[in-house]
Coordinates of all heavy atoms in Angstrom, one line a residue:
M3 N -7.2 -20.6 -10.8 CA -6.8 -21.3 -12.0 C -5.9 -20.4 -12.8 O -6.3 -19.2 -13.1 CB -8.0 -21.7 -12.8 CG -7.8 -22.7 -13.8 SD -9.3 -23.2 -14.8 CE -10.4 -23.8 -13.5
P4 N -4.7 -20.8 -13.3 CA -3.8 -19.9 -14.0 C -4.5 -19.5 -15.3 O -5.2 -20.2 -16.0 CB -2.6 -20.8 -14.3 CG -2.6 -21.9 -13.3 CD -4.1 -22.1 -13.0
T5 N -4.2 -18.3 -15.7 CA -4.7 -17.7 -17.0 C -3.5 -17.7 -18.0 O -2.4 -17.2 -17.6 CB -5.3 -16.3 -16.8 OG1 -6.4 -16.4 -15.9 CG2 -5.8 -15.8 -18.1
I6 N -3.7 -18.2 -19.1 CA -2.7 -18.2 -20.2 C -3.1 -17.4 -21.4 O -4.3 -17.4 -21.7 CB -2.5 -19.7 -20.7 CG1 -2.2 -20.6 -19.5 CG2 -1.4 -19.8 -21.7 CD1 -1.1 -20.3 -18.6
H7 N -2.2 -16.7 -22.0 CA -2.5 -15.8 -23.1 C -1.8 -16.3 -24.3 O -0.6 -16.4 -24.4 CB -2.0 -14.4 -22.8 CG -2.5 -13.9 -21.4 ND1 -3.8 -13.5 -21.2 CD2 -1.8 -13.7 -20.3 CE1 -3.9 -13.1 -19.9 NE2 -2.7 -13.2 -19.4
L8 N -2.6 -16.7 -25.3 CA -2.1 -17.3 -26.6 C -2.3 -16.2 -27.7 O -3.4 -15.6 -27.8 CB -2.9 -18.5 -27.0 CG -2.9 -19.7 -26.0 CD1 -4.0 -20.7 -26.4 CD2 -1.5 -20.3 -26.1
I9 N -1.2 -15.9 -28.4 CA -1.3 -14.9 -29.5 C -1.2 -15.6 -30.8 O -0.1 -16.0 -31.2 CB -0.2 -13.9 -29.3 CG1 -0.2 -13.3 -27.9 CG2 -0.4 -12.8 -30.4 CD1 0.9 -12.3 -27.6
P10 N -2.3 -15.9 -31.5 CA -2.3 -16.6 -32.8 C -1.6 -15.7 -33.8 O -1.6 -14.5 -33.7 CB -3.7 -16.8 -33.1 CG -4.5 -16.7 -31.9 CD -3.7 -15.7 -31.0
Y11 N -1.0 -16.3 -34.8 CA -0.3 -15.6 -35.9 C -1.3 -14.6 -36.6 O -2.3 -15.1 -37.1 CB 0.3 -16.5 -36.9 CG 1.1 -15.9 -37.9 CD1 2.5 -15.5 -37.6 CD2 0.6 -15.5 -39.2 CE1 3.2 -14.9 -38.6 CE2 1.4 -14.9 -40.1 CZ 2.7 -14.6 -39.8 OH 3.5 -13.9 -40.8
G12 N -1.1 -13.4 -36.5 CA -1.9 -12.4 -37.2 C -3.3 -12.3 -36.6 O -4.2 -11.8 -37.4
A13 N -3.5 -12.7 -35.4 CA -4.9 -12.6 -34.9 C -4.9 -12.1 -33.4 O -3.8 -12.0 -32.8 CB -5.6 -14.0 -34.9
A14 N -6.0 -11.9 -32.9 CA -6.1 -11.3 -31.5 C -5.8 -12.4 -30.4 O -6.0 -13.6 -30.6 CB -7.6 -10.8 -31.3
T15 N -5.4 -11.9 -29.3 CA -5.0 -12.7 -28.2 C -6.2 -13.5 -27.7 O -7.3 -13.0 -27.6 CB -4.4 -11.9 -27.0 OG1 -3.3 -11.2 -27.5 CG2 -4.0 -12.7 -25.8
I16 N -5.9 -14.8 -27.3 CA -6.9 -15.7 -26.7 C -6.5 -15.9 -25.3 O -5.4 -16.3 -25.0 CB -7.0 -17.0 -27.5 CG1 -7.4 -16.8 -28.9 CG2 -8.0 -18.0 -26.8 CD1 -7.2 -18.0 -29.8
N17 N -7.4 -15.7 -24.3 CA -7.1 -15.9 -22.9 C -7.8 -17.1 -22.5 O -9.0 -17.3 -22.6 CB -7.6 -14.7 -22.1 CG -7.0 -13.4 -22.6 OD1 -5.8 -13.3 -22.8 ND2 -7.8 -12.4 -22.9
L18 N -7.0 -18.0 -21.9 CA -7.6 -19.3 -21.4 C -7.3 -19.5 -19.9 O -6.2 -19.3 -19.5 CB -6.9 -20.5 -22.1 CG -7.2 -20.6 -23.6 CD1 -6.4 -21.9 -24.1 CD2 -8.6 -20.8 -23.9
D19 N -8.3 -19.9 -19.2 CA -8.1 -20.3 -17.8 C -7.9 -21.8 -17.8 O -8.7 -22.6 -18.3 CB -9.4 -20.0 -16.9 CG -9.6 -18.5 -16.8 OD1 -8.5 -17.8 -16.7 OD2 -10.7 -18.1 -16.7
V20 N -6.7 -22.3 -17.3 CA -6.3 -23.6 -17.5 C -6.1 -24.3 -16.1 O -5.3 -23.8 -15.3 CB -5.0 -23.7 -18.3 CG1 -4.5 -25.2 -18.5 CG2 -5.1 -23.0 -19.7
P21 N -6.7 -25.5 -15.9 CA -6.4 -26.1 -14.6 C -5.0 -26.6 -14.5 O -4.3 -26.9 -15.5 CB -7.3 -27.4 -14.7 CG -8.3 -27.1 -15.8 CD -7.6 -26.2 -16.7
E22 N -4.4 -26.5 -13.3 CA -3.1 -26.9 -13.1 C -2.9 -28.4 -13.4 O -3.8 -29.2 -13.2 CB -2.7 -26.7 -11.6 CG -2.6 -25.2 -11.3 CD -2.0 -24.9 -9.9 OE1 -1.0 -25.6 -9.6 OE2 -2.5 -24.0 -9.2
G23 N -1.8 -28.8 -14.0 CA -1.5 -30.1 -14.4 C -1.8 -30.5 -15.8 O -1.4 -31.5 -16.3
V24 N -2.6 -29.6 -16.5 CA -3.0 -29.8 -17.9 C -1.9 -29.3 -18.7 O -1.3 -28.2 -18.4 CB -4.3 -29.2 -18.2 CG1 -4.6 -29.1 -19.7 CG2 -5.4 -29.8 -17.4
S25 N -1.6 -29.9 -19.9 CA -0.6 -29.3 -20.8 C -1.1 -28.2 -21.5 O -2.4 -28.1 -21.8 CB 0.0 -30.4 -21.7 OG -0.9 -30.6 -22.8
L26 N -0.3 -27.3 -21.9 CA -0.7 -26.1 -22.7 C -1.3 -26.6 -24.0 O -2.3 -26.0 -24.5 CB 0.5 -25.2 -23.0 CG 0.2 -24.0 -23.8 CD1 -0.9 -23.1 -23.2 CD2 1.5 -23.1 -23.9
M27 N -0.8 -27.6 -24.7 CA -1.4 -28.2 -25.9 C -2.8 -28.7 -25.6 O -3.7 -28.3 -26.4 CB -0.5 -29.3 -26.4 CG -1.0 -30.0 -27.7 SD -2.3 -31.2 -27.5 CE -1.4 -32.6 -26.8
Q28 N -3.0 -29.5 -24.6 CA -4.3 -30.0 -24.3 C -5.3 -28.8 -24.1 O -6.4 -28.9 -24.6 CB -4.3 -30.8 -23.0 CG -3.6 -32.2 -23.2 CD -3.5 -32.8 -21.8 OE1 -3.0 -32.3 -20.8 NE2 -3.9 -34.1 -21.7
A29 N -4.9 -27.8 -23.4 CA -5.8 -26.7 -23.1 C -6.2 -26.0 -24.4 O -7.3 -25.6 -24.6 CB -5.1 -25.7 -22.1
A30 N -5.2 -25.8 -25.3 CA -5.5 -25.1 -26.5 C -6.4 -25.9 -27.4 O -7.3 -25.4 -28.0 CB -4.1 -24.7 -27.2
V31 N -6.1 -27.2 -27.6 CA -6.9 -28.0 -28.4 C -8.3 -28.1 -27.9 O -9.3 -28.0 -28.7 CB -6.2 -29.4 -28.6 CG1 -7.2 -30.4 -29.3 CG2 -4.9 -29.3 -29.4
S32 N -8.5 -28.3 -26.6 CA -9.8 -28.4 -26.0 C -10.6 -27.1 -26.2 O -11.8 -27.1 -26.4 CB -9.7 -28.6 -24.5 OG -9.1 -29.8 -24.2
A33 N -9.9 -26.0 -26.3 CA -10.6 -24.7 -26.5 C -10.8 -24.4 -28.0 O -11.3 -23.4 -28.3 CB -9.8 -23.6 -25.8
G34 N -10.3 -25.3 -28.9 CA -10.5 -25.1 -30.3 C -9.6 -24.0 -30.9 O -9.9 -23.5 -31.9
V35 N -8.4 -23.8 -30.3 CA -7.5 -22.8 -30.8 C -6.9 -23.4 -32.1 O -6.2 -24.5 -32.1 CB -6.4 -22.5 -29.8 CG1 -5.3 -21.6 -30.4 CG2 -7.0 -21.9 -28.5
A36 N -7.1 -22.7 -33.2 CA -6.7 -23.3 -34.5 C -5.2 -23.4 -34.7 O -4.7 -24.2 -35.4 CB -7.3 -22.4 -35.6
G37 N -4.4 -22.6 -34.0 CA -2.9 -22.5 -34.3 C -2.1 -23.6 -33.6 O -0.9 -23.7 -33.8
I38 N -2.8 -24.5 -32.9 CA -2.1 -25.7 -32.2 C -2.8 -26.9 -32.8 O -4.0 -27.1 -32.7 CB -2.3 -25.6 -30.7 CG1 -1.7 -24.3 -30.1 CG2 -1.6 -26.9 -30.1 CD1 -0.3 -24.4 -29.7
V39 N -2.0 -27.9 -33.3 CA -2.6 -29.1 -33.9 C -2.5 -30.2 -32.9 O -3.5 -30.9 -32.5 CB -1.9 -29.5 -35.2 CG1 -2.5 -30.7 -35.8 CG2 -2.1 -28.3 -36.2
G40 N -1.4 -30.5 -32.4 CA -1.2 -31.6 -31.4 C -1.5 -33.0 -32.0 O -2.1 -33.8 -31.4
E41 N -1.0 -33.2 -33.2 CA -1.3 -34.4 -33.9 C -0.9 -35.7 -33.2 O -1.7 -36.7 -33.3 CB -0.5 -34.4 -35.2 CG -0.9 -35.3 -36.3 CD -0.2 -34.9 -37.6 OE1 0.9 -35.3 -37.8 OE2 -0.9 -34.2 -38.5
C42 N 0.1 -35.8 -32.4 CA 0.5 -37.0 -31.8 C -0.1 -37.2 -30.4 O 0.1 -38.2 -29.7 CB 2.0 -37.1 -31.7 SG 2.8 -36.1 -30.4
G43 N -0.9 -36.2 -30.0 CA -1.6 -36.3 -28.7 C -0.8 -36.0 -27.5 O -1.2 -36.3 -26.4
G44 N 0.4 -35.4 -27.7 CA 1.2 -35.0 -26.6 C 2.4 -36.0 -26.3 O 2.9 -35.9 -25.2
S45 N 2.7 -36.8 -27.2 CA 3.8 -37.8 -27.0 C 5.1 -37.3 -27.5 O 6.1 -38.1 -27.6 CB 3.4 -39.1 -27.8 OG 2.2 -39.6 -27.5
A46 N 5.3 -36.1 -27.8 CA 6.5 -35.5 -28.3 C 7.0 -36.2 -29.5 O 8.2 -36.6 -29.5 CB 7.6 -35.5 -27.1
M47 N 6.1 -36.4 -30.5 CA 6.5 -37.1 -31.7 C 6.2 -36.3 -33.0 O 6.5 -36.8 -34.1 CB 5.8 -38.4 -31.7 CG 6.3 -39.4 -30.7 SD 5.4 -40.9 -30.7 CE 5.8 -41.6 -32.2
C48 N 5.5 -35.2 -32.9 CA 5.0 -34.5 -34.1 C 5.5 -33.1 -34.3 O 5.5 -32.6 -35.5 CB 3.5 -34.6 -34.2 SG 2.7 -33.5 -33.0
A49 N 5.7 -32.4 -33.3 CA 6.1 -30.9 -33.4 C 5.0 -30.0 -33.9 O 5.3 -28.9 -34.4 CB 7.4 -30.8 -34.1
T50 N 3.8 -30.5 -33.9 CA 2.7 -29.6 -34.4 C 2.0 -28.8 -33.2 O 0.9 -28.3 -33.4 CB 1.6 -30.4 -35.1 OG1 1.0 -31.3 -34.2 CG2 2.2 -31.1 -36.3
C51 N 2.7 -28.8 -32.1 CA 2.2 -28.0 -31.0 C 3.3 -26.9 -30.6 O 3.3 -26.4 -29.5 CB 2.0 -28.9 -29.8 SG 3.5 -29.7 -29.2
H52 N 4.1 -26.5 -31.6 CA 5.2 -25.6 -31.4 C 4.6 -24.2 -31.0 O 3.7 -23.7 -31.6 CB 5.9 -25.5 -32.8 CG 7.0 -24.5 -32.9 ND1 7.4 -23.9 -34.0 CD2 7.8 -24.0 -31.9 CE1 8.4 -23.1 -33.8 NE2 8.7 -23.1 -32.5
V53 N 5.3 -23.6 -30.0 CA 4.9 -22.2 -29.6 C 6.2 -21.4 -29.3 O 7.3 -22.0 -29.1 CB 4.0 -22.2 -28.3 CG1 2.7 -22.9 -28.6 CG2 4.7 -22.9 -27.1
Y54 N 6.1 -20.1 -29.3 CA 7.2 -19.2 -28.9 C 6.8 -18.6 -27.5 O 5.8 -17.9 -27.4 CB 7.3 -18.1 -29.9 CG 7.5 -18.6 -31.3 CD1 6.7 -18.2 -32.4 CD2 8.7 -19.3 -31.7 CE1 6.9 -18.6 -33.7 CE2 8.9 -19.7 -33.0 CZ 8.0 -19.4 -34.0 OH 8.2 -19.8 -35.3
V55 N 7.5 -19.0 -26.5 CA 7.2 -18.5 -25.2 C 7.8 -17.1 -25.0 O 9.0 -16.9 -25.3 CB 7.9 -19.5 -24.2 CG1 7.6 -19.0 -22.7 CG2 7.3 -20.9 -24.4
D56 N 7.0 -16.3 -24.4 CA 7.5 -14.9 -24.0 C 8.7 -15.0 -23.2 O 8.8 -15.8 -22.2 CB 6.4 -14.2 -23.3 CG 6.8 -12.7 -23.1 OD1 7.5 -12.4 -22.1 OD2 6.3 -11.9 -23.8
E57 N 9.7 -14.2 -23.5 CA 11.0 -14.3 -22.8 C 10.9 -14.2 -21.3 O 11.6 -14.8 -20.5 CB 12.0 -13.2 -23.3 CG 12.6 -13.5 -24.6 CD 13.6 -12.5 -25.0 OE1 14.0 -11.6 -24.2 OE2 14.0 -12.5 -26.2
A58 N 9.9 -13.4 -20.8 CA 9.8 -13.2 -19.3 C 9.4 -14.5 -18.6 O 9.6 -14.6 -17.4 CB 8.7 -12.2 -19.1
Y59 N 8.8 -15.5 -19.4 CA 8.4 -16.7 -18.8 C 9.2 -17.9 -19.2 O 9.1 -19.0 -18.6 CB 6.9 -17.0 -19.2 CG 6.0 -16.0 -18.7 CD1 5.7 -14.8 -19.4 CD2 5.3 -16.2 -17.5 CE1 4.8 -13.9 -18.9 CE2 4.5 -15.2 -16.9 CZ 4.2 -14.1 -17.6 OH 3.4 -13.1 -17.1
A60 N 10.1 -17.8 -20.1 CA 10.9 -18.9 -20.6 C 11.7 -19.6 -19.5 O 11.8 -20.8 -19.4 CB 11.8 -18.5 -21.7
G61 N 12.2 -18.8 -18.6 CA 13.0 -19.4 -17.5 C 12.2 -20.1 -16.4 O 12.8 -20.8 -15.5
L62 N 10.9 -19.9 -16.5 CA 10.0 -20.6 -15.5 C 9.6 -22.0 -15.9 O 9.1 -22.7 -15.1 CB 8.8 -19.8 -15.2 CG 8.9 -18.3 -14.7 CD1 7.6 -17.6 -14.7 CD2 9.6 -18.3 -13.4
L63 N 9.9 -22.3 -17.1 CA 9.5 -23.7 -17.6 C 10.4 -24.7 -17.2 O 11.6 -24.5 -17.0 CB 9.4 -23.6 -19.1 CG 8.4 -22.6 -19.8 CD1 8.4 -22.7 -21.3 CD2 7.0 -22.7 -19.2
A64 N 9.9 -26.0 -17.1 CA 10.8 -27.1 -16.9 C 11.8 -27.2 -18.0 O 11.5 -26.9 -19.1 CB 10.0 -28.4 -16.8
P65 N 13.0 -27.7 -17.7 CA 14.1 -27.8 -18.7 C 13.6 -28.7 -19.9 O 12.8 -29.6 -19.7 CB 15.2 -28.5 -18.0 CG 15.0 -28.2 -16.5 CD 13.5 -28.1 -16.4
M66 N 14.1 -28.4 -21.0 CA 13.8 -29.2 -22.2 C 14.5 -30.5 -22.2 O 15.6 -30.6 -21.9 CB 14.3 -28.3 -23.4 CG 13.8 -28.8 -24.8 SD 14.5 -27.7 -26.0 CE 13.8 -26.1 -25.6
S67 N 13.7 -31.6 -22.6 CA 14.3 -32.9 -22.7 C 15.1 -33.0 -24.0 O 14.8 -32.2 -25.0 CB 13.3 -34.0 -22.7 OG 12.5 -33.9 -23.9
P68 N 16.0 -33.9 -24.2 CA 16.7 -34.1 -25.5 C 15.8 -34.4 -26.6 O 16.0 -33.9 -27.7 CB 17.7 -35.3 -25.2 CG 17.9 -35.3 -23.7 CD 16.6 -34.8 -23.1
V69 N 14.7 -35.1 -26.3 CA 13.7 -35.4 -27.4 C 13.0 -34.2 -27.9 O 12.9 -33.9 -29.1 CB 12.7 -36.4 -26.8 CG1 11.5 -36.6 -27.8 CG2 13.3 -37.8 -26.6
E70 N 12.6 -33.3 -26.9 CA 12.0 -32.0 -27.3 C 12.9 -31.2 -28.1 O 12.6 -30.6 -29.1 CB 11.5 -31.3 -26.1 CG 10.8 -30.0 -26.4 CD 10.3 -29.2 -25.2 OE1 10.4 -29.7 -24.1 OE2 9.7 -28.1 -25.5
A71 N 14.2 -31.1 -27.7 CA 15.2 -30.3 -28.4 C 15.4 -30.8 -29.8 O 15.5 -30.0 -30.8 CB 16.5 -30.3 -27.6
E72 N 15.4 -32.1 -30.0 CA 15.5 -32.7 -31.3 C 14.3 -32.4 -32.2 O 14.5 -32.0 -33.4 CB 15.8 -34.2 -31.2 CG 16.3 -34.8 -32.4 CD 16.6 -36.3 -32.1 OE1 17.1 -36.7 -31.1 OE2 16.3 -37.1 -33.1
L73 N 13.1 -32.5 -31.6 CA 11.9 -32.3 -32.4 C 11.8 -30.8 -32.8 O 11.2 -30.5 -33.9 CB 10.7 -32.7 -31.6 CG 10.0 -34.0 -31.9 CD1 8.8 -34.1 -31.1 CD2 9.7 -34.1 -33.4
L74 N 12.3 -29.9 -32.0 CA 12.2 -28.5 -32.4 C 13.0 -28.2 -33.6 O 12.9 -27.1 -34.1 CB 12.6 -27.7 -31.2 CG 11.5 -27.6 -30.1 CD1 12.0 -26.9 -28.8 CD2 10.3 -26.8 -30.6
E75 N 13.9 -29.1 -34.0 CA 14.6 -28.9 -35.3 C 13.8 -29.2 -36.5 O 14.2 -29.0 -37.6 CB 15.9 -29.8 -35.3 CG 16.9 -29.4 -34.2 CD 17.4 -28.0 -34.3 OE1 17.5 -27.5 -35.5 OE2 17.7 -27.4 -33.3
C76 N 12.5 -29.8 -36.2 CA 11.7 -30.2 -37.3 C 10.4 -29.5 -37.4 O 9.4 -30.0 -38.0 CB 11.4 -31.7 -37.2 SG 12.8 -32.7 -36.8
T77 N 10.3 -28.3 -36.9 CA 9.1 -27.5 -36.9 C 8.8 -26.9 -38.2 O 9.7 -26.6 -39.0 CB 9.1 -26.4 -35.8 OG1 10.3 -25.6 -36.1 CG2 9.2 -26.9 -34.4
A78 N 7.5 -26.7 -38.6 CA 7.1 -26.2 -39.9 C 7.5 -24.7 -40.0 O 7.9 -24.2 -41.0 CB 5.6 -26.3 -40.1
S79 N 7.4 -23.9 -38.9 CA 7.8 -22.6 -38.8 C 9.2 -22.5 -38.1 O 9.5 -23.4 -37.3 CB 6.8 -21.7 -38.1 OG 5.6 -21.6 -38.8
D80 N 10.0 -21.5 -38.4 CA 11.3 -21.4 -37.9 C 11.4 -21.5 -36.3 O 10.5 -21.0 -35.6 CB 12.0 -20.1 -38.3 CG 12.3 -20.1 -39.7 OD1 12.3 -21.2 -40.4 OD2 12.6 -19.0 -40.3
R81 N 12.4 -22.2 -35.8 CA 12.6 -22.3 -34.4 C 13.2 -20.9 -34.0 O 14.0 -20.3 -34.7 CB 13.6 -23.4 -34.1 CG 13.9 -23.6 -32.6 CD 14.8 -24.8 -32.4 NE 15.1 -24.9 -31.0 CZ 15.7 -26.0 -30.5 NH1 16.2 -26.9 -31.3 NH2 15.9 -26.1 -29.2
E82 N 12.8 -20.5 -32.8 CA 13.4 -19.3 -32.2 C 14.0 -19.7 -30.8 O 13.8 -20.8 -30.3 CB 12.3 -18.2 -32.0 CG 11.7 -17.7 -33.3 CD 10.7 -16.6 -33.2 OE1 10.5 -16.1 -32.1 OE2 10.2 -16.2 -34.2
P83 N 14.8 -18.7 -30.2 CA 15.4 -19.1 -28.9 C 14.5 -19.6 -27.8 O 14.8 -20.4 -27.0 CB 16.1 -17.8 -28.5 CG 16.4 -17.1 -29.8 CD 15.2 -17.4 -30.7
T84 N 13.2 -19.1 -27.8 CA 12.3 -19.5 -26.8 C 11.2 -20.5 -27.3 O 10.2 -20.7 -26.7 CB 11.6 -18.3 -26.1 OG1 10.8 -17.7 -27.1 CG2 12.6 -17.3 -25.5
S85 N 11.5 -21.2 -28.4 CA 10.6 -22.2 -29.0 C 10.5 -23.3 -28.0 O 11.5 -23.8 -27.4 CB 11.1 -22.7 -30.3 OG 10.9 -21.8 -31.3
R86 N 9.2 -23.8 -27.8 CA 9.0 -25.0 -27.0 C 7.8 -25.8 -27.6 O 7.1 -25.3 -28.4 CB 8.6 -24.7 -25.6 CG 9.7 -24.0 -24.8 CD 10.9 -24.8 -24.5 NE 10.6 -26.0 -23.7 CZ 10.9 -26.2 -22.4 NH1 11.3 -25.2 -21.7 NH2 10.6 -27.4 -21.9
L87 N 7.7 -27.1 -27.2 CA 6.5 -27.9 -27.6 C 5.5 -27.7 -26.5 O 5.8 -28.0 -25.3 CB 6.9 -29.3 -27.7 CG 7.9 -29.7 -28.8 CD1 8.2 -31.2 -28.8 CD2 7.4 -29.3 -30.2
S88 N 4.3 -27.2 -26.9 CA 3.3 -26.9 -25.8 C 2.8 -28.1 -25.1 O 2.3 -28.0 -24.0 CB 2.2 -26.1 -26.4 OG 1.5 -26.8 -27.4
C89 N 3.0 -29.3 -25.7 CA 2.5 -30.5 -25.0 C 3.5 -30.9 -23.9 O 3.1 -31.7 -23.0 CB 2.4 -31.7 -26.0 SG 4.0 -32.3 -26.6
Q90 N 4.6 -30.3 -23.8 CA 5.6 -30.5 -22.8 C 5.6 -29.4 -21.7 O 6.4 -29.5 -20.8 CB 7.0 -30.6 -23.4 CG 7.2 -31.7 -24.5 CD 6.8 -33.1 -24.0 OE1 7.4 -33.6 -23.0 NE2 5.8 -33.7 -24.6
I91 N 4.7 -28.5 -21.8 CA 4.5 -27.4 -20.8 C 3.3 -27.8 -20.0 O 2.1 -27.7 -20.4 CB 4.3 -26.1 -21.5 CG1 5.5 -25.7 -22.4 CG2 4.0 -25.0 -20.5 CD1 5.3 -24.4 -23.2
K92 N 3.6 -28.2 -18.7 CA 2.5 -28.5 -17.8 C 2.2 -27.2 -17.0 O 3.0 -26.5 -16.5 CB 2.9 -29.5 -16.8 CG 3.0 -30.9 -17.4 CD 1.7 -31.6 -17.2 CE 1.7 -33.1 -17.7 NZ 1.8 -33.2 -19.2
I93 N 0.9 -26.8 -17.1 CA 0.5 -25.5 -16.4 C 0.5 -25.7 -14.9 O 0.0 -26.7 -14.4 CB -0.9 -25.1 -16.9 CG1 -0.9 -24.9 -18.4 CG2 -1.4 -23.8 -16.2 CD1 0.2 -23.9 -18.9
S94 N 1.1 -24.7 -14.2 CA 1.1 -24.7 -12.8 C 0.9 -23.2 -12.4 O 0.9 -22.3 -13.2 CB 2.5 -25.1 -12.3 OG 3.5 -24.2 -12.7
G95 N 0.7 -23.0 -11.1 CA 0.4 -21.7 -10.6 C 1.5 -20.7 -10.9 O 1.2 -19.5 -11.1
T96 N 2.7 -21.1 -11.0 CA 3.8 -20.2 -11.3 C 3.8 -19.7 -12.7 O 4.4 -18.7 -13.0 CB 5.2 -20.9 -11.0 OG1 5.3 -22.0 -11.8 CG2 5.4 -21.2 -9.6
L97 N 3.0 -20.4 -13.5 CA 2.9 -19.9 -14.9 C 1.6 -19.1 -15.2 O 1.3 -18.8 -16.3 CB 2.8 -21.2 -15.9 CG 4.1 -22.0 -15.9 CD1 3.9 -23.2 -16.9 CD2 5.3 -21.2 -16.3
D98 N 1.0 -18.6 -14.1 CA -0.2 -17.7 -14.3 C 0.3 -16.5 -15.0 O 1.3 -15.9 -14.7 CB -0.7 -17.3 -12.9 CG -1.9 -16.5 -13.0 OD1 -2.8 -16.7 -13.9 OD2 -2.1 -15.6 -12.2
G99 N -0.4 -16.1 -16.1 CA 0.0 -15.0 -16.9 C 0.9 -15.3 -18.1 O 1.2 -14.4 -18.9
L100 N 1.2 -16.6 -18.2 CA 2.1 -17.0 -19.3 C 1.6 -16.5 -20.7 O 0.4 -16.5 -21.0 CB 2.1 -18.6 -19.4 CG 2.9 -19.2 -20.5 CD1 4.4 -19.0 -20.4 CD2 2.6 -20.7 -20.6
I101 N 2.5 -16.0 -21.5 CA 2.2 -15.5 -22.8 C 3.0 -16.3 -23.8 O 4.2 -16.5 -23.7 CB 2.7 -14.0 -22.9 CG1 1.9 -13.1 -21.9 CG2 2.4 -13.5 -24.4 CD1 2.5 -11.7 -21.8
V102 N 2.3 -16.8 -24.8 CA 3.0 -17.6 -25.9 C 2.4 -17.1 -27.2 O 1.2 -16.8 -27.3 CB 2.8 -19.1 -25.8 CG1 3.4 -19.6 -24.5 CG2 1.4 -19.6 -25.9
R103 N 3.3 -17.0 -28.2 CA 2.9 -16.7 -29.6 C 2.8 -18.0 -30.3 O 3.6 -18.9 -30.1 CB 3.9 -15.8 -30.3 CG 3.9 -14.3 -29.8 CD 4.9 -13.5 -30.6 NE 6.3 -13.9 -30.5 CZ 7.0 -14.5 -31.4 NH1 6.6 -14.7 -32.6 NH2 8.3 -14.8 -31.1
L104 N 1.9 -18.1 -31.3 CA 1.8 -19.3 -32.1 C 2.4 -19.0 -33.4 O 2.4 -17.9 -33.9 CB 0.3 -19.6 -32.3 CG -0.5 -19.8 -31.0 CD1 -1.9 -20.3 -31.3 CD2 0.1 -20.7 -30.0
P105 N 3.1 -20.0 -34.0 CA 3.8 -19.8 -35.2 C 2.8 -19.7 -36.4 O 1.6 -20.0 -36.3 CB 4.6 -21.1 -35.4 CG 4.0 -22.1 -34.5 CD 3.3 -21.4 -33.4
E106 N 3.3 -19.2 -37.5 CA 2.5 -19.0 -38.7 C 1.8 -20.3 -39.1 O 0.7 -20.3 -39.5 CB 3.3 -18.5 -39.9 CG 2.5 -18.2 -41.1 CD 3.4 -17.5 -42.2 OE1 4.6 -17.4 -42.0 OE2 2.8 -17.1 -43.2
R107 N 2.6 -21.4 -39.1 CA 1.9 -22.7 -39.4 C 2.6 -23.8 -38.6 O 3.7 -23.7 -38.1 CB 2.1 -23.0 -40.9 CG 3.5 -23.0 -41.4 CD 3.5 -22.9 -43.0 NE 4.9 -22.9 -43.4 CZ 5.5 -24.0 -43.8 NH1 5.0 -25.2 -43.7 NH2 6.8 -23.9 -44.1
Q108 N 1.9 -25.0 -38.5 CA 2.3 -26.1 -37.7 C 2.7 -27.3 -38.6 O 3.3 -28.3 -38.2 CB 1.3 -26.5 -36.7 CG 1.0 -25.5 -35.6 CD 2.1 -25.4 -34.5 OE1 3.2 -26.0 -34.7 NE2 1.8 -24.7 -33.5
Q109 N 2.2 -27.2 -39.9 CA 2.4 -28.4 -40.8 C 2.8 -27.9 -42.2 O 2.5 -26.8 -42.5 CB 1.1 -29.2 -40.9 CG 0.8 -29.9 -39.6 CD -0.6 -30.6 -39.7 OE1 -1.6 -29.9 -40.1 NE2 -0.7 -31.8 -39.2
Ligands
LIG208 FE1 3.0 -33.9 -30.8 FE2 3.4 -32.0 -29.0 S1 1.5 -32.8 -29.6 S2 4.9 -33.1 -30.1

């Protein structure tokens, strides 16, 4: 099972073992990670699941849809070059070791 490393804003890293096929947002919410809200349930409508993907892994993710790109203009914390919506990141074996930072706020 891939292991994902979440770095909350100003807090210690959280390591999660995530089954393949589950979204990063679902995994974080299920684990009670406070820095991910996921208000729309993963429908790419709220931008409260914003994360900053470590540069080493950004190129391994599926390309961003136009809808995701548009929503990332509406995040509560500033967008960065590797910003993504975690509900659009499906965990797979190639993402084992993925590191993401969580923004200061989601709303
Ligand atoms: Fe709403 Fe990701 S959970 S956009």
Side-chain angles (χ1 to χ4, degrees):
M3 198 180 298
T5 301
I6 307 303
H7 309 286
L8 299 168
I9 307 173
Y11 186 82
T15 301
I16 298 167
N17 304 309
L18 295 180
D19 293 327
V20 182
E22 293 190 41
V24 170
S25 79
L26 180 55
M27 179 280 287
Q28 288 173 309
V31 170
S32 296
V35 175
I38 303 265
V39 178
E41 198 169 78
C42 75
S45 306
M47 294 174 65
C48 71
T50 63
C51 64
H52 177 206
V53 296
Y54 304 119
V55 177
D56 185 277
E57 281 183 16
Y59 293 89
L62 299 176
L63 303 182
M66 191 181 298
S67 70
V69 170
E70 181 178 358
E72 196 176 320
L73 257 185
L74 283 168
E75 296 299 327
C76 311
T77 53
S79 292
D80 288 346
R81 181 177 184 172
E82 294 184 5
T84 64
S85 284
R86 295 295 300 258
L87 297 179
S88 60
C89 69
Q90 303 302 301
I91 299 175
K92 287 272 184 287
I93 300 305
S94 65
T96 58
L97 295 180
D98 185 36
L100 174 68
I101 301 167
V102 301
R103 285 183 297 111
L104 307 186
E106 183 175 4
R107 59 194 180 92
Q108 295 284 10
Q109 294 173 309

